[in-house]
Amino acid sequence: MAVYAAAETGTAALLAEGVRAENIPGVDVTVVHPGRIRSEMNERVGRRTRFMADTVPGVRAMVAAVQRRRVRAYVPARPWAPVGLPVKRLPLSAVNRPA
């Protein structure tokens, strides 16, 4: 999961933010930060996972963010949007706990 998360973050930072910085006329960029959304990747998780969004509402929220031309979207929004910035600033020991 650490490698997956790093690749996801790198893609958002390098690709999406880079394209947005180029300010190409007619090109809108929405960086979607998906939280826990039910998918094939996590269907075999043996324990109850908090804050997991069902697939259909999660996908609808992503599509809505893109259609609204939001710069950044956390899906599902709760609890990830309010905690996104503090988590980036906290020491790793404070955020590296099982959910």
Side-chain angles (χ1 to χ4, degrees), residues 20-85:
R20 184 184 4 265
E22 291 180 16
N23 202 20
I24 302 167
V27 175
D28 293 320
V29 177
T30 300
V31 178
V32 177
H33 298 277
R36 295 176 179 153
I37 298 176
R38 293 189 202 292
S39 68
E40 294 84 14
M41 188 171 91
N42 61 31
E43 69 185 6
R44 294 184 186 171
V45 172
R47 61 189 169 101
R48 181 178 176 270
T49 304
R50 296 176 8 186
F51 308 121
M52 178 82 73
D54 288 328
T55 305
V56 173
V59 171
R60 285 184 180 154
M62 286 186 252
V63 170
V66 171
Q67 289 175 334
R68 289 186 198 121
R69 293 184 163 95
R70 300 218 10 224
V71 171
R72 185 169 288 104
Y74 295 91
V75 177
R78 291 190 183 98
W80 310 114
V83 301
L85 186 61

Side-chain angles (χ1 to χ4, degrees), residues 75-98:
V75 177
R78 291 190 183 98
W80 310 114
V83 301
L85 186 61
V87 165
K88 290 179 185 178
R89 306 279 190 255
L90 289 170
L92 185 58
S93 61
V95 297
N96 193 20
R97 298 171 197 243

